[in-house]
């Protein structure tokens, strides 16, 4: 994609448009900002559900308002274009963090004092910002590690990024549960909003990287064109279907946990132990890839680690006792974190600079959609056989790996590794 330097570009204004590698300080700021933002995003739906149920609201209302803050994540690809169009993407993400904090605060305070539809609209406004707090922040990572970092440094930074997702998915709900018990769900939600607002300041302190369009905004692809680019670019296409298939498969674990307790002869409440083991496994895996970065070709890593997730699911299926099942859930969480790290590497290495923000968020949105479908599918299949959702997941991921391997080996010789 061509670069143009006109009077309106950063170079003409005396700003160095090249990303600066800032080492540990830049990465530390990134980790703090990303962890705060993702903790807010990860805990908000729990806070909303607890807010409704603790005040006597119906489960249906709790589910609807929870969906108001999660469903808009699917709009991420359309929001993401703002990142690629902006001269300074940090300001877009910081504004999203502030809007998220404001809308979440207003929605929570409005509940019970205004019609539920008002609360829903405010929460939906917050949810629309969610993709920029997750995939949007990840798209800033290349500016920290530099334009041509050593592979190990790049993968280590991606490992830290995975760790922030693990922190958000584990600490967010846990923080909400603790604050809801000690104070109230409203206080928990306001704490998350404060974290998101603080993240805005952290994002603005990240290294500046100039927009890739060089002043030619028409060079930035629209969401549909970006999706088409991903579909016809082999490495990105394989990244998408491996990511979504694994997401669909592991989404069955929380649903299956409830039914497995009956099969294993333990109390239904112990299903929480299984889901907690999976979450802690994810966090442990995140820390592992941070300490010992993944090495090797990103595509090959994705295929191998997807098979690792298959092995984890098979372990869950074959577990003969509750303690073994807990370990199997934790193992699957660890392997899924490794796989997630490999998909971040693939997105970074194969996405074109002019659409990197959109690619990151497109993959995240498709992953969320696939995960939701996996949850619904698991709910229907467990009525047939408790372990059927996991068997379907094993078969689906295995088929995706076979397809990716066949594409790589027998694909056209003119297929480019990078778009």
């Amino acid at each position: 994609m061509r670069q143009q330097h006109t009077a309106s570009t950063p170079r003409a204004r005396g700003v160095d448009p090249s990303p600066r590698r800032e080492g540990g300080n830049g990465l530390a700021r990134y980790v703090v900002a990303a962890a705060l933002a993702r903790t807010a995003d990860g805990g908000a739906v729990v806070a909303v559900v607890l807010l409704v149920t603790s005040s006597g609201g119906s489960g249906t209302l709790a589910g609807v308002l929870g969906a108001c803050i999660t469903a808009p994540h699917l709009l991420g690809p359309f929001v993401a274009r703002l990142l690629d169009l902006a001269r300074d993407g940090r300001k877009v993400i910081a504004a999203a963090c502030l809007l998220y904090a404001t809308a979440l605060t207003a929605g929570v305070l409005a509940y019970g004092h205004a019609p539920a539809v008002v609360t829903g609209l405010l929460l939906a406004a917050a949810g629309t910002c969610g993709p920029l707090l997750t995939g949007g922040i990840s798209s800033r990572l290349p500016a920290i590690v530099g334009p041509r970092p050593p592979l190990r440094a790049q993968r280590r930074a991606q490992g830290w990024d995975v760790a922030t997702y693990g922190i958000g998915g584990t600490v967010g709900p846990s923080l909400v549960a603790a604050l809801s018990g000690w104070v109230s769900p409203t206080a928990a939600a306001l704490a998350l909003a404060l974290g998101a607002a603080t993240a805005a300041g952290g994002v603005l302190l990240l290294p500046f990287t100039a927009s890739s369009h060089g002043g030619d905004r028409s060079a930035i692809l629209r969401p549909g064109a970006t999706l088409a680019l991903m579909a016809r670019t082999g490495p990105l296409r394989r990244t998408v279907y491996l990511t979504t298939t694994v997401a669909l498969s592991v989404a069955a674990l929380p649903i299956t946990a409830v039914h497995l307790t009956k099969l294993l002869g333990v109390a239904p409440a112990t299903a929480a132990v299984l889901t907690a083991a999976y979450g802690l496994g994810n966090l442990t895996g995140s820390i592992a890839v941070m300490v010992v970065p993944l090495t090797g070709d990103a595509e090959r890593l994705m295929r191998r680690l997807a098979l690792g997730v298959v092995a984890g699911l098979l372990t869950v299926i074959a577990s003969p006792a509750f303690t073994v099942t807990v370990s199997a859930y934790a193992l699957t969480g660890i392997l899924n974190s490794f796989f997630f790290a490999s998909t971040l590497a693939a997105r970074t290495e194969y996405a074109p600079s002019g659409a990197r923000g959109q690619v990151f968020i497109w993959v995240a949105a498709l992953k969320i959609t696939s995960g939701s479908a996996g949850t619904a599918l698991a709910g229907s299949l467990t009525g047939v056989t408790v372990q059927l959702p996991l068997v379907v997941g094993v078969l689906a991921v295995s088929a995706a790996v076979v397809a990716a391997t066949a594409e790589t080996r027998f694909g056209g010789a003119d297929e480019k590794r990078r778009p």
Side-chain angles (χ1 to χ4, degrees):
M1 192 172 292
R2 65 184 183 277
Q3 298 285 335
Q4 297 178 349
H5 299 291
T6 64
S8 62
T9 63
R11 184 182 295 276
R13 295 177 182 177
V15 178
D16 181 8
S18 61
R20 297 188 306 274
R21 184 176 178 179
E22 297 205 359
N25 290 335
L27 186 57
R29 292 195 294 270
Y30 178 91
V31 169
V32 171
L36 286 171
R38 289 160 183 168
T39 295
D41 189 60
V45 65
V46 180
V48 169
V49 170
L50 288 176
L51 174 67
V52 175
T53 55
S54 65
S55 61
S58 67
T60 300
L61 179 60
V64 170
L65 292 182
C68 284
I69 205 168
T70 56
H73 280 67
L74 302 179
L75 299 175
F78 303 93
V79 176
R81 192 165 185 262
L82 295 173
L83 271 182
D84 293 324
L85 286 171
R87 192 188 74 84
D88 187 350
R90 298 174 303 175
K91 294 180 179 179
V92 175
I93 298 172
C97 290
L98 291 174
L99 179 57
Y100 187 97
T102 302
L104 179 59
T105 298
V108 167
L109 295 179
Y111 179 73
H113 303 284
V117 67
V118 174
T119 298
L121 289 173
L122 289 168
L123 294 178
T128 303
C129 299
L132 292 175
L133 275 63
T134 53
I137 294 182
S138 289
S139 70
R140 300 297 96 187
L141 199 56
I144 294 173
V145 298
R148 293 180 181 84
L151 181 62
R152 185 175 178 82
Q154 179 174 289
R155 296 286 172 81
R156 185 181 296 279
Q158 289 161 354
W160 278 99
D161 199 27
V162 174
T164 65
Y165 279 101
I167 291 170
T170 305
V171 175
S174 301
L175 178 65
V176 167
L179 287 177
S180 296
W182 294 337
V183 189
S184 68
T186 299
L190 294 180
L192 296 179
L194 178 61
T198 305
V203 168
L204 291 175
L205 293 175
L206 297 179
F208 170 79
T209 179
S211 58
S212 61
H213 55 69
D216 182 11
R217 294 164 65 91
S218 64
I220 299 299
L221 298 177
R222 295 188 179 277
T226 302
L227 184 60
L229 171 70
M230 292 164 60
R232 67 174 181 265
T233 304
L236 290 178
R237 179 175 61 249
R238 293 185 282 277
T239 299
V240 168
Y241 68 68
L242 284 169
T243 299
T244 54
T245 306
V246 169
L248 182 142
S249 302
V250 299
L253 288 170
I255 302 297
T256 306
V258 177
H259 299 276
L260 280 176
T261 57
K262 301 175 184 177
L263 189 65
L264 297 169
V266 295
T270 55
V273 176
L274 294 177
T275 54
Y278 176 72
L280 289 174
N282 264 303
L283 185 56
T284 301
S286 302
I287 295 171
V289 295
M290 175 184 69
V291 175
V292 183
L294 299 175
T295 58
D297 177 72
E299 273 209 87
R300 187 176 297 112
L301 281 171
M302 279 195 298
R303 295 195 301 272
R304 291 178 177 177
L305 292 170
L307 289 178
V309 173
V310 167
L313 294 175
L314 287 172
T315 306
V316 174
I317 294 171
S319 297
F322 180 71
T323 53
V324 179
T325 306
V326 172
S327 299
Y329 263 72
L331 173 64
T332 306
I334 292 171
L335 293 168
N336 188 49
S337 279
F338 291 171
F339 172 76
F340 179 45
S342 71
T343 67
L344 285 178
R347 280 183 256 178
T348 299
E349 294 169 26
Y350 304 136
S353 59
R356 179 170 286 123
Q358 293 188 68
V359 168
F360 264 87
I361 296 180
W362 255 122
V363 176
L366 292 171
K367 179 181 177 181
I368 291 171
T369 304
S370 185
S372 300
T375 300
L377 181 64
S380 61
L381 292 180
T382 48
V384 181
T385 304
V386 172
Q387 295 166 327
L388 183 58
L390 301 180
V391 173
V392 171
V394 165
L395 295 175
V397 176
S398 299
V401 171
V402 169
T405 303
E407 270 199 65
T408 303
R409 290 187 178 181
F410 307 114
D414 59 341
E415 183 182 80
K416 295 182 180 179
R417 298 288 293 174
R418 296 175 185 267

